[in-house]
Amino acid sequence: MLQALIFDVDGTLADTESAHRAAFNAAFAEAGLDWHWSEALYTRLLDVAGGKERIAHYWRTVDPLHAARNGETIARIHAIKTRFYEEQVSGGRLPLRPGIERLITEAAEAGLPIAIATTTTPANVDALLRAPLGRNWRRLFAAVCDGGTTQRKKPAPDVYLAALRGLGLPAYACIAFEDSENGLAAASAAGIPTIITPTAYTALHSFSDAMLVLPHLGDPAQPLAQRIPGADHRWVDLAALARWHEGTLFEAS
Ligand code: XBP
Ligand code: MG
């Protein structure tokens, strides 16, 4: 029986990576670096989870000689980037993706626990969710596991294993929601059936291990273009999730 939902943040709760990319570029300019991450370059750099890790990876490719001893500089650039990102998304300027707010409400009304498992910086989650879900948004989640929770980032399963510990549930009792190949790899490695809603940045990723891949989760006001087998509506609700989850358990047994 389905006992909890676990949500990724960037790309899943909201389509945030354009805001992240703009924040990185603004931070590079403020730090006096002549770096600029285009959409095409950033799409490739997203293979590296974690903003600091992404900067370090890029620096090693463009300036291997000086990149080695710049942990402090990277942390300083990333702190500037986080400030720019918070400015961009706070106050509800970046909407949640279709179906997210509705599913969070449905889960709360049904007493179904939900959790967050993200690679991103804790401050980013608060900046994104404070307006749409209220300043006490953390109370809606049985566990919030973020970039500060575990050392290893996705595709390692660590942050999902932390969420399962926070929920006190086995992996097979949950469904994870992700947008990327790294995220699917992390949730799958933790043993969690996963539904994927890609964004433009992850549209070309491979999702062969996913339970289901959908353009988004849909809403009555923004239904999916196609009917989904097993769903009563053209949007994903708890009844459909429970049916699909039973189907997965049947395959697994
Ligand atoms: C996506 C990430 C994050 C963001 C940038 O996280 O990999 O690194 O791209 O945020 P998610 P930071 O697991 O939510 O998809 O700069 O704070 O890392
Ligand atoms: Mg993501």
Side-chain angles (χ1 to χ4, degrees):
M1 181 182 84
L2 178 60
Q3 296 179 55
L5 307 178
I6 307 175
F7 292 95
D8 163 54
V9 173
D10 290 310
T12 300
L13 289 186
D15 194 347
T16 57
E17 292 298 347
S18 291
H20 280 298
R21 184 174 76 89
F24 279 111
N25 286 329
F28 299 153
E30 181 166 310
L33 292 163
D34 64 350
W35 300 348
H36 180 79
W37 289 355
S38 66
E39 270 194 12
L41 173 57
Y42 192 65
T43 301
R44 293 196 301 277
L45 288 174
L46 272 173
D47 288 347
V48 180
K52 294 191 193 80
E53 294 82 355
R54 199 166 300 146
I55 295 170
H57 168 80
Y58 176 75
W59 201 332
R60 282 193 298 274
T61 60
V62 295
D63 183 5
L65 198 60
H66 298 98
R69 47 186 194 284
N70 274 291
E72 193 183 313
T73 306
I74 289 171
R76 184 171 59 80
I77 297 167
H78 191 256
I80 298 170
K81 176 263 173 183
T82 300
R83 169 167 50 86
F84 278 114
Y85 179 79
E86 288 180 277
E87 285 167 9
Q88 278 193 81
V89 304
S90 58
R93 274 188 283 273
L94 189 62
L96 300 183
R97 292 191 71 185
I100 293 295
E101 205 160 334
R102 174 179 52 77
L103 268 179
I104 289 174
T105 303
E106 281 185 32
E109 288 166 355
L112 185 74
I114 61 174
I116 281 178
T118 177
T119 296
T120 201
T121 302
N124 293 346
V125 187
D126 187 60
L128 178 71
L129 299 184
R130 175 179 283 265
L133 300 181
R135 62 190 178 84
N136 294 320
W137 61 269
R138 283 179 177 274
R139 292 181 188 167
L140 295 167
F141 296 89
V144 177
C145 302
D146 55 38
T149 306
T150 59
Q151 189 65 35
R152 292 196 311 168
K153 304 229 160 121
K154 299 173 185 176
D158 302 37
V159 72
Y160 275 104
L161 296 173
L164 290 172
R165 284 195 299 275
L167 288 162
L169 289 170
Y172 61 76
C174 304
I175 289 179
F177 296 84
E178 269 287 354
D179 70 302
S180 69
E181 201 165 332
N182 270 345
L184 175 58
S188 302
I192 307 169
T194 303
I195 292 178
I196 294 289
T197 51
T199 68
Y201 281 103
T202 61
L204 301 180
H205 285 193
S206 156
F207 299 122
S208 52
D209 288 348
M211 172 181 167
L212 192 56
V213 180
L214 294 169
H216 52 77
L217 298 176
D219 265 329
Q222 197 171 346
L224 288 156
Q226 309 293 332
R227 286 196 61 76
I228 331 158
D232 300 324
H233 310 288
R234 290 193 180 190
W235 54 86
V236 175
D237 59 12
L238 291 190
L241 290 172
R243 274 187 217 113
W244 295 331
H245 185 261
E246 292 319 304
T248 302
L249 285 180
F250 176 76
E251 283 158 18
S253 59

mmCIF file of all heavy atoms in Angstrom, residues 37-75:
data_model
loop_
_atom_site.group_PDB
_atom_site.id
_atom_site.type_symbol
_atom_site.label_atom_id
_atom_site.label_comp_id
_atom_site.label_asym_id
_atom_site.label_seq_id
_atom_site.Cartn_x
_atom_site.Cartn_y
_atom_site.Cartn_z
ATOM 1 N N TRP A 37 27.616 30.742 -18.481
ATOM 2 C CA TRP A 37 27.034 29.431 -18.757
ATOM 3 C C TRP A 37 25.800 29.601 -19.646
ATOM 4 O O TRP A 37 24.751 30.076 -19.199
ATOM 5 C CB TRP A 37 26.659 28.727 -17.457
ATOM 6 C CG TRP A 37 27.857 28.254 -16.663
ATOM 7 C CD1 TRP A 37 29.168 28.320 -17.050
ATOM 8 C CD2 TRP A 37 27.852 27.632 -15.366
ATOM 9 N NE1 TRP A 37 29.978 27.809 -16.068
ATOM 10 C CE2 TRP A 37 29.201 27.364 -15.033
ATOM 11 C CE3 TRP A 37 26.858 27.278 -14.461
ATOM 12 C CZ2 TRP A 37 29.571 26.759 -13.833
ATOM 13 C CZ3 TRP A 37 27.208 26.668 -13.260
ATOM 14 C CH2 TRP A 37 28.559 26.417 -12.952
ATOM 15 N N SER A 38 25.944 29.203 -20.921
ATOM 16 C CA SER A 38 24.794 29.260 -21.849
ATOM 17 C C SER A 38 23.811 28.152 -21.486
ATOM 18 O O SER A 38 24.130 27.263 -20.680
ATOM 19 C CB SER A 38 25.313 29.024 -23.275
ATOM 20 O OG SER A 38 25.805 27.687 -23.346
ATOM 21 N N GLU A 39 22.639 28.182 -22.084
ATOM 22 C CA GLU A 39 21.659 27.108 -21.827
ATOM 23 C C GLU A 39 22.241 25.754 -22.222
ATOM 24 O O GLU A 39 22.143 24.773 -21.461
ATOM 25 C CB GLU A 39 20.376 27.367 -22.633
ATOM 26 C CG GLU A 39 19.370 28.199 -21.890
ATOM 27 C CD GLU A 39 17.982 28.149 -22.557
ATOM 28 O OE1 GLU A 39 17.757 27.311 -23.449
ATOM 29 O OE2 GLU A 39 17.150 28.968 -22.165
ATOM 30 N N ALA A 40 22.898 25.719 -23.376
ATOM 31 C CA ALA A 40 23.460 24.436 -23.858
ATOM 32 C C ALA A 40 24.541 23.929 -22.911
ATOM 33 O O ALA A 40 24.551 22.739 -22.532
ATOM 34 C CB ALA A 40 24.029 24.629 -25.259
ATOM 35 N N LEU A 41 25.426 24.823 -22.462
ATOM 36 C CA LEU A 41 26.499 24.410 -21.540
ATOM 37 C C LEU A 41 25.893 23.998 -20.208
ATOM 38 O O LEU A 41 26.263 22.965 -19.635
ATOM 39 C CB LEU A 41 27.493 25.565 -21.340
ATOM 40 C CG LEU A 41 28.581 25.343 -20.276
ATOM 41 C CD1 LEU A 41 29.398 24.084 -20.558
ATOM 42 C CD2 LEU A 41 29.507 26.575 -20.212
ATOM 43 N N TYR A 42 24.933 24.779 -19.708
ATOM 44 C CA TYR A 42 24.335 24.463 -18.404
ATOM 45 C C TYR A 42 23.597 23.124 -18.453
ATOM 46 O O TYR A 42 23.636 22.347 -17.492
ATOM 47 C CB TYR A 42 23.385 25.576 -17.969
ATOM 48 C CG TYR A 42 22.968 25.458 -16.520
ATOM 49 C CD1 TYR A 42 23.901 25.602 -15.490
ATOM 50 C CD2 TYR A 42 21.650 25.169 -16.160
ATOM 51 C CE1 TYR A 42 23.533 25.477 -14.159
ATOM 52 C CE2 TYR A 42 21.277 25.038 -14.828
ATOM 53 C CZ TYR A 42 22.225 25.194 -13.841
ATOM 54 O OH TYR A 42 21.861 25.052 -12.510
ATOM 55 N N THR A 43 22.961 22.835 -19.578
ATOM 56 C CA THR A 43 22.284 21.532 -19.726
ATOM 57 C C THR A 43 23.277 20.399 -19.514
ATOM 58 O O THR A 43 22.968 19.415 -18.823
ATOM 59 C CB THR A 43 21.638 21.426 -21.119
ATOM 60 O OG1 THR A 43 20.706 22.505 -21.273
ATOM 61 C CG2 THR A 43 20.923 20.084 -21.298
ATOM 62 N N ARG A 44 24.494 20.560 -20.018
ATOM 63 C CA ARG A 44 25.525 19.522 -19.824
ATOM 64 C C ARG A 44 26.047 19.558 -18.379
ATOM 65 O O ARG A 44 26.222 18.528 -17.733
ATOM 66 C CB ARG A 44 26.679 19.730 -20.816
ATOM 67 C CG ARG A 44 26.308 19.502 -22.267
ATOM 68 C CD ARG A 44 27.519 19.333 -23.177
ATOM 69 N NE ARG A 44 28.415 20.494 -23.151
ATOM 70 C CZ ARG A 44 28.213 21.599 -23.887
ATOM 71 N NH1 ARG A 44 27.138 21.685 -24.661
ATOM 72 N NH2 ARG A 44 29.059 22.615 -23.837
ATOM 73 N N LEU A 45 26.235 20.762 -17.846
ATOM 74 C CA LEU A 45 26.785 20.882 -16.479
ATOM 75 C C LEU A 45 25.828 20.334 -15.423
ATOM 76 O O LEU A 45 26.240 19.963 -14.321
ATOM 77 C CB LEU A 45 27.109 22.351 -16.180
ATOM 78 C CG LEU A 45 28.319 22.940 -16.908
ATOM 79 C CD1 LEU A 45 28.434 24.441 -16.645
ATOM 80 C CD2 LEU A 45 29.615 22.235 -16.500
ATOM 81 N N LEU A 46 24.541 20.249 -15.762
ATOM 82 C CA LEU A 46 23.560 19.713 -14.796
ATOM 83 C C LEU A 46 23.810 18.239 -14.513
ATOM 84 O O LEU A 46 23.234 17.693 -13.565
ATOM 85 C CB LEU A 46 22.130 19.926 -15.308
ATOM 86 C CG LEU A 46 21.499 21.257 -14.931
ATOM 87 C CD1 LEU A 46 20.150 21.433 -15.626
ATOM 88 C CD2 LEU A 46 21.334 21.392 -13.418
ATOM 89 N N ASP A 47 24.684 17.616 -15.302
ATOM 90 C CA ASP A 47 25.049 16.225 -14.986
ATOM 91 C C ASP A 47 25.793 16.159 -13.652
ATOM 92 O O ASP A 47 25.873 15.113 -13.025
ATOM 93 C CB ASP A 47 25.945 15.627 -16.086
ATOM 94 C CG ASP A 47 25.161 15.351 -17.366
ATOM 95 O OD1 ASP A 47 23.902 15.391 -17.296
ATOM 96 O OD2 ASP A 47 25.781 15.136 -18.415
ATOM 97 N N VAL A 48 26.343 17.312 -13.235
ATOM 98 C CA VAL A 48 27.054 17.385 -11.952
ATOM 99 C C VAL A 48 26.091 17.972 -10.918
ATOM 100 O O VAL A 48 25.730 19.141 -11.006
ATOM 101 C CB VAL A 48 28.307 18.282 -12.054
ATOM 102 C CG1 VAL A 48 29.034 18.347 -10.710
ATOM 103 C CG2 VAL A 48 29.241 17.781 -13.143
ATOM 104 N N ALA A 49 25.639 17.174 -9.975
ATOM 105 C CA ALA A 49 24.677 17.647 -8.970
ATOM 106 C C ALA A 49 25.412 18.506 -7.937
ATOM 107 O O ALA A 49 26.563 18.229 -7.588
ATOM 108 C CB ALA A 49 24.004 16.466 -8.275
ATOM 109 N N GLY A 50 24.742 19.565 -7.504
ATOM 110 C CA GLY A 50 25.339 20.428 -6.485
ATOM 111 C C GLY A 50 26.020 21.623 -7.117
ATOM 112 O O GLY A 50 26.898 21.456 -7.976
ATOM 113 N N GLY A 51 25.620 22.829 -6.684
ATOM 114 C CA GLY A 51 26.155 24.044 -7.297
ATOM 115 C C GLY A 51 27.661 24.196 -7.109
ATOM 116 O O GLY A 51 28.382 24.543 -8.054
ATOM 117 N N LYS A 52 28.142 23.925 -5.884
ATOM 118 C CA LYS A 52 29.594 24.067 -5.648
ATOM 119 C C LYS A 52 30.376 23.051 -6.495
ATOM 120 O O LYS A 52 31.377 23.380 -7.129
ATOM 121 C CB LYS A 52 29.925 23.853 -4.169
ATOM 122 C CG LYS A 52 29.364 24.895 -3.215
ATOM 123 C CD LYS A 52 29.988 24.717 -1.835
ATOM 124 C CE LYS A 52 29.243 25.496 -0.779
ATOM 125 N NZ LYS A 52 28.018 24.810 -0.326
ATOM 126 N N GLU A 53 29.863 21.831 -6.506
ATOM 127 C CA GLU A 53 30.513 20.772 -7.304
ATOM 128 C C GLU A 53 30.497 21.150 -8.782
ATOM 129 O O GLU A 53 31.458 20.894 -9.513
ATOM 130 C CB GLU A 53 29.785 19.440 -7.083
ATOM 131 C CG GLU A 53 29.886 18.884 -5.655
ATOM 132 C CD GLU A 53 28.886 19.511 -4.688
ATOM 133 O OE1 GLU A 53 28.157 20.461 -5.063
ATOM 134 O OE2 GLU A 53 28.858 19.063 -3.524
ATOM 135 N N ARG A 54 29.395 21.792 -9.236
ATOM 136 C CA ARG A 54 29.277 22.167 -10.650
ATOM 137 C C ARG A 54 30.310 23.248 -11.003
ATOM 138 O O ARG A 54 30.951 23.192 -12.037
ATOM 139 C CB ARG A 54 27.858 22.680 -10.908
ATOM 140 C CG ARG A 54 27.408 22.697 -12.340
ATOM 141 C CD ARG A 54 25.899 22.893 -12.426
ATOM 142 N NE ARG A 54 25.213 21.825 -11.752
ATOM 143 C CZ ARG A 54 24.070 21.980 -11.090
ATOM 144 N NH1 ARG A 54 23.500 23.157 -10.971
ATOM 145 N NH2 ARG A 54 23.497 20.949 -10.501
ATOM 146 N N ILE A 55 30.472 24.229 -10.077
ATOM 147 C CA ILE A 55 31.476 25.283 -10.311
ATOM 148 C C ILE A 55 32.875 24.663 -10.350
ATOM 149 O O ILE A 55 33.676 24.941 -11.250
ATOM 150 C CB ILE A 55 31.396 26.360 -9.212
ATOM 151 C CG1 ILE A 55 30.060 27.103 -9.246
ATOM 152 C CG2 ILE A 55 32.556 27.349 -9.346
ATOM 153 C CD1 ILE A 55 29.827 28.020 -8.043
ATOM 154 N N ALA A 56 33.159 23.795 -9.392
ATOM 155 C CA ALA A 56 34.494 23.158 -9.319
ATOM 156 C C ALA A 56 34.770 22.349 -10.581
ATOM 157 O O ALA A 56 35.869 22.439 -11.168
ATOM 158 C CB ALA A 56 34.569 22.263 -8.088
ATOM 159 N N HIS A 57 33.772 21.630 -11.047
ATOM 160 C CA HIS A 57 33.923 20.816 -12.273
ATOM 161 C C HIS A 57 34.226 21.727 -13.468
ATOM 162 O O HIS A 57 35.164 21.494 -14.233
ATOM 163 C CB HIS A 57 32.627 20.034 -12.517
ATOM 164 C CG HIS A 57 32.551 19.404 -13.875
ATOM 165 N ND1 HIS A 57 33.175 18.229 -14.194
ATOM 166 C CD2 HIS A 57 31.926 19.835 -15.020
ATOM 167 C CE1 HIS A 57 32.942 17.924 -15.463
ATOM 168 N NE2 HIS A 57 32.186 18.893 -16.002
ATOM 169 N N TYR A 58 33.464 22.819 -13.574
ATOM 170 C CA TYR A 58 33.667 23.740 -14.714
ATOM 171 C C TYR A 58 35.055 24.372 -14.639
ATOM 172 O O TYR A 58 35.780 24.449 -15.635
ATOM 173 C CB TYR A 58 32.585 24.826 -14.702
ATOM 174 C CG TYR A 58 32.774 25.865 -15.776
ATOM 175 C CD1 TYR A 58 32.485 25.581 -17.117
ATOM 176 C CD2 TYR A 58 33.287 27.127 -15.465
ATOM 177 C CE1 TYR A 58 32.684 26.525 -18.111
ATOM 178 C CE2 TYR A 58 33.489 28.078 -16.463
ATOM 179 C CZ TYR A 58 33.187 27.766 -17.767
ATOM 180 O OH TYR A 58 33.395 28.708 -18.749
ATOM 181 N N TRP A 59 35.448 24.776 -13.423
ATOM 182 C CA TRP A 59 36.751 25.449 -13.254
ATOM 183 C C TRP A 59 37.902 24.501 -13.663
ATOM 184 O O TRP A 59 38.829 24.896 -14.359
ATOM 185 C CB TRP A 59 36.917 25.881 -11.799
ATOM 186 C CG TRP A 59 37.937 26.979 -11.592
ATOM 187 C CD1 TRP A 59 39.045 27.239 -12.362
ATOM 188 C CD2 TRP A 59 37.930 27.941 -10.554
ATOM 189 N NE1 TRP A 59 39.721 28.304 -11.863
ATOM 190 C CE2 TRP A 59 39.080 28.763 -10.769
ATOM 191 C CE3 TRP A 59 37.081 28.195 -9.470
ATOM 192 C CZ2 TRP A 59 39.365 29.821 -9.904
ATOM 193 C CZ3 TRP A 59 37.377 29.242 -8.620
ATOM 194 C CH2 TRP A 59 38.502 30.051 -8.848
ATOM 195 N N ARG A 60 37.746 23.226 -13.287
ATOM 196 C CA ARG A 60 38.785 22.257 -13.671
ATOM 197 C C ARG A 60 38.877 22.121 -15.183
ATOM 198 O O ARG A 60 39.945 21.931 -15.749
ATOM 199 C CB ARG A 60 38.483 20.888 -13.049
ATOM 200 C CG ARG A 60 38.825 20.753 -11.586
ATOM 201 C CD ARG A 60 38.807 19.285 -11.126
ATOM 202 N NE ARG A 60 37.479 18.668 -11.275
ATOM 203 C CZ ARG A 60 36.517 18.762 -10.351
ATOM 204 N NH1 ARG A 60 36.728 19.474 -9.241
ATOM 205 N NH2 ARG A 60 35.337 18.194 -10.526
ATOM 206 N N THR A 61 37.737 22.295 -15.871
ATOM 207 C CA THR A 61 37.793 22.129 -17.334
ATOM 208 C C THR A 61 38.385 23.364 -18.018
ATOM 209 O O THR A 61 39.092 23.249 -19.002
ATOM 210 C CB THR A 61 36.384 21.888 -17.925
ATOM 211 O OG1 THR A 61 35.561 23.007 -17.608
ATOM 212 C CG2 THR A 61 35.752 20.629 -17.400
ATOM 213 N N VAL A 62 38.138 24.548 -17.468
ATOM 214 C CA VAL A 62 38.603 25.781 -18.150
ATOM 215 C C VAL A 62 39.955 26.257 -17.637
ATOM 216 O O VAL A 62 40.661 26.988 -18.331
ATOM 217 C CB VAL A 62 37.578 26.938 -18.028
ATOM 218 C CG1 VAL A 62 36.301 26.595 -18.767
ATOM 219 C CG2 VAL A 62 37.307 27.338 -16.590
ATOM 220 N N ASP A 63 40.317 25.868 -16.395
ATOM 221 C CA ASP A 63 41.577 26.390 -15.836
ATOM 222 C C ASP A 63 42.149 25.393 -14.830
ATOM 223 O O ASP A 63 42.267 25.693 -13.649
ATOM 224 C CB ASP A 63 41.289 27.749 -15.151
ATOM 225 C CG ASP A 63 42.569 28.382 -14.620
ATOM 226 O OD1 ASP A 63 43.652 27.802 -14.878
ATOM 227 O OD2 ASP A 63 42.459 29.412 -13.920
ATOM 228 N N PRO A 64 42.509 24.193 -15.314
ATOM 229 C CA PRO A 64 42.901 23.101 -14.404
ATOM 230 C C PRO A 64 44.045 23.504 -13.473
ATOM 231 O O PRO A 64 44.081 23.112 -12.317
ATOM 232 C CB PRO A 64 43.321 21.972 -15.336
ATOM 233 C CG PRO A 64 43.413 22.558 -16.700
ATOM 234 C CD PRO A 64 42.587 23.791 -16.723
ATOM 235 N N LEU A 65 44.902 24.384 -13.945
ATOM 236 C CA LEU A 65 46.087 24.749 -13.154
ATOM 237 C C LEU A 65 45.671 25.432 -11.848
ATOM 238 O O LEU A 65 46.137 25.104 -10.771
ATOM 239 C CB LEU A 65 46.954 25.714 -13.981
ATOM 240 C CG LEU A 65 48.410 25.863 -13.498
ATOM 241 C CD1 LEU A 65 49.110 24.518 -13.553
ATOM 242 C CD2 LEU A 65 49.132 26.906 -14.346
ATOM 243 N N HIS A 66 44.706 26.370 -11.937
ATOM 244 C CA HIS A 66 44.343 27.155 -10.733
ATOM 245 C C HIS A 66 43.140 26.596 -9.986
ATOM 246 O O HIS A 66 42.832 27.026 -8.884
ATOM 247 C CB HIS A 66 44.057 28.612 -11.134
ATOM 248 C CG HIS A 66 45.254 29.281 -11.718
ATOM 249 N ND1 HIS A 66 45.449 29.389 -13.076
ATOM 250 C CD2 HIS A 66 46.363 29.795 -11.132
ATOM 251 C CE1 HIS A 66 46.609 29.986 -13.303
ATOM 252 N NE2 HIS A 66 47.190 30.246 -12.138
ATOM 253 N N ALA A 67 42.433 25.626 -10.626
ATOM 254 C CA ALA A 67 41.170 25.185 -10.004
ATOM 255 C C ALA A 67 41.442 24.404 -8.722
ATOM 256 O O ALA A 67 40.620 24.399 -7.808
ATOM 257 C CB ALA A 67 40.393 24.319 -10.983
ATOM 258 N N ALA A 68 42.573 23.789 -8.627
ATOM 259 C CA ALA A 68 42.817 22.798 -7.566
ATOM 260 C C ALA A 68 42.599 23.392 -6.175
ATOM 261 O O ALA A 68 41.892 22.841 -5.354
ATOM 262 C CB ALA A 68 44.229 22.277 -7.685
ATOM 263 N N ARG A 69 43.173 24.605 -5.940
ATOM 264 C CA ARG A 69 43.167 25.078 -4.543
ATOM 265 C C ARG A 69 42.201 26.242 -4.384
ATOM 266 O O ARG A 69 42.576 27.331 -3.962
ATOM 267 C CB ARG A 69 44.587 25.471 -4.129
ATOM 268 C CG ARG A 69 45.279 26.339 -5.136
ATOM 269 C CD ARG A 69 46.735 26.605 -4.767
ATOM 270 N NE ARG A 69 47.222 27.686 -5.595
ATOM 271 C CZ ARG A 69 47.547 27.528 -6.874
ATOM 272 N NH1 ARG A 69 47.468 26.338 -7.431
ATOM 273 N NH2 ARG A 69 47.958 28.554 -7.611
ATOM 274 N N ASN A 70 40.936 26.021 -4.811
ATOM 275 C CA ASN A 70 40.015 27.165 -4.740
ATOM 276 C C ASN A 70 38.727 26.866 -4.007
ATOM 277 O O ASN A 70 37.694 27.438 -4.307
ATOM 278 C CB ASN A 70 39.689 27.636 -6.171
ATOM 279 C CG ASN A 70 40.748 28.615 -6.643
ATOM 280 O OD1 ASN A 70 40.815 29.727 -6.107
ATOM 281 N ND2 ASN A 70 41.581 28.188 -7.527
ATOM 282 N N GLY A 71 38.790 25.944 -3.023
ATOM 283 C CA GLY A 71 37.566 25.603 -2.287
ATOM 284 C C GLY A 71 36.928 26.820 -1.679
ATOM 285 O O GLY A 71 35.722 27.036 -1.797
ATOM 286 N N GLU A 72 37.755 27.699 -1.108
ATOM 287 C CA GLU A 72 37.221 28.897 -0.424
ATOM 288 C C GLU A 72 36.571 29.837 -1.444
ATOM 289 O O GLU A 72 35.487 30.364 -1.250
ATOM 290 C CB GLU A 72 38.366 29.620 0.295
ATOM 291 C CG GLU A 72 37.903 30.689 1.287
ATOM 292 C CD GLU A 72 39.124 31.393 1.903
ATOM 293 O OE1 GLU A 72 40.050 30.658 2.310
ATOM 294 O OE2 GLU A 72 39.133 32.629 1.902
ATOM 295 N N THR A 73 37.253 29.992 -2.588
ATOM 296 C CA THR A 73 36.708 30.891 -3.625
ATOM 297 C C THR A 73 35.384 30.347 -4.152
ATOM 298 O O THR A 73 34.423 31.084 -4.360
ATOM 299 C CB THR A 73 37.724 31.001 -4.780
ATOM 300 O OG1 THR A 73 38.984 31.400 -4.235
ATOM 301 C CG2 THR A 73 37.245 31.989 -5.822
ATOM 302 N N ILE A 74 35.331 29.021 -4.341
ATOM 303 C CA ILE A 74 34.102 28.405 -4.860
ATOM 304 C C ILE A 74 32.960 28.623 -3.884
ATOM 305 O O ILE A 74 31.848 29.012 -4.268
ATOM 306 C CB ILE A 74 34.323 26.899 -5.142
ATOM 307 C CG1 ILE A 74 35.226 26.727 -6.366
ATOM 308 C CG2 ILE A 74 32.993 26.168 -5.322
ATOM 309 C CD1 ILE A 74 35.692 25.316 -6.620
ATOM 310 N N ALA A 75 33.246 28.464 -2.594
ATOM 311 C CA ALA A 75 32.200 28.673 -1.582
ATOM 312 C C ALA A 75 31.719 30.129 -1.620
ATOM 313 O O ALA A 75 30.518 30.405 -1.518
ATOM 314 C CB ALA A 75 32.741 28.323 -0.200
#
